[in-house]
Amino acid sequence: MQPWQDFIKEVLIPEDQLQRRIAELGEQINNDYAGKELLIICILRGGVMFMVDLIKHIKVPLATEFMAVSSYGAGARQSTGEVRITLDLNTTIAGKHVLIVEDIIDSGNTLASVIELLETRNPKDLFVCTLLDKHERREVEVPIRYTGFKIENHFVFGYGLDMDDFYRNLPFIGTVDIEKYDPSL
Ligand code: IMP
Ligand code: MG
């Protein structure tokens, strides 16, 4: 595995800025869901870091669930229109206030499929909270209620986001200098 110092272009969002914004999102969620109970669905694996930090700021009663999806042709840095559920929920969402927590929305294909599936299970309501939004790249519209940061179209890693499954543990978000990145190392 190549050290990230070798291919990072810049630290796009440093740790303190991430944490400040996540606290703000938590406050917003507290206001919007006051008096209600929440079911947070984290999309594995990228959403984990974000979910863990976010829920520390949420004061309304909440339960957590996990779901894993993969695009057909996984391994590519671009998702296709088709998404496969590789881990489904362990609970019913019927009648619940559901909030999906995701790391990044790029083409929107992944989340659009997840939303379409979950809507068939009749939640009371269903909203999306994403840490990052690469809005320029959207192919399908997905309704987003909470966005951490809108970012330009560059490949990012760290804080849950991976490059070939590594670097998810970094506490900041960096951009990749793709010419310097060598997945075979
Ligand atoms: P979408 O279906 O194109 O919206 O892709 C969303 C998924 O692609 C995210 O959940 C990420 O797993 C992955 N992804 C998209 N852009 C990036 C990136 O810049 N870095 C790491 N993963 C990304
Ligand atoms: Mg993901």
Side-chain angles (χ1 to χ4, degrees):
M1 202 248 333
Q2 197 181 9
W4 57 267
Q5 290 88 344
D6 289 1
F7 60 76
I8 190 167
K9 194 184 284 171
E10 61 164 344
V11 173
L12 186 67
I13 313 172
E15 183 174 8
D16 59 334
Q17 202 182 332
L18 276 172
Q19 295 301 333
R20 268 202 311 276
R21 181 67 186 130
I22 292 167
E24 285 173 7
L25 291 174
E27 278 311 310
Q28 251 178 286
I29 291 168
N30 288 333
N31 291 330
D32 294 345
Y33 289 92
K36 295 175 182 162
E37 280 181 20
L38 252 178
L39 178 66
I40 304 256
I41 299 180
C42 173
I43 308 295
L44 296 174
R45 288 163 282 179
V48 171
M49 295 276 266
F50 177 38
M51 185 207 78
V52 167
D53 284 337
L54 179 67
I55 62 176
K56 293 177 200 165
H57 298 281
I58 301 180
K59 306 283 195 291
V60 303
L62 67 86
T64 53
E65 269 288 337
F66 296 89
M67 200 168 170
V69 294
S70 98
S71 295
Y72 284 100
R77 291 212 180 85
Q78 193 138 342
S79 73
T80 59
E82 282 176 276
V83 182
R84 182 163 49 103
I85 306 295
T86 56
L87 176 75
D88 205 340
L89 305 175
N90 254 322
T91 186
T92 173
I93 63 168
K96 296 180 182 170
H97 299 286
V98 174
L99 184 63
I100 300 175
V101 173
E102 175 64 306
D103 53 355
I104 187 167
I105 305 179
D106 188 24
S107 69
N109 287 318
T110 306
L111 218 53
S113 307
V114 169
I115 290 169
E116 192 183 354
L117 171 73
L118 293 182
E119 288 287 6
T120 66
R121 301 181 185 175
N122 302 313
K124 182 147 197 160
D125 48 48
L126 175 63
F127 290 102
V128 174
C129 176
T130 186
L131 181 64
L132 305 176
D133 178 8
K134 266 193 211 174
H135 49 104
E136 279 169 44
R137 304 237 321 151
R138 203 59 37 83
E139 289 167 16
V140 268
E141 250 347 281
V142 279
I144 309 175
R145 190 172 192 187
Y146 307 99
T147 303
F149 302 88
K150 287 196 170 181
I151 64 167
E152 302 301 309
N153 178 21
H154 28 223
F155 204 81
V156 291
F157 70 103
Y159 201 73
L161 294 128
D162 70 303
M163 300 277 295
D164 301 313
D165 274 325
F166 282 91
Y167 318 107
R168 295 187 194 274
N169 55 308
L170 301 174
F172 59 85
I173 289 179
T175 53
V176 180
D177 184 343
I178 209 72
E179 259 124 63
K180 295 193 183 143
Y181 177 65
D182 185 351
S184 70
L185 289 180

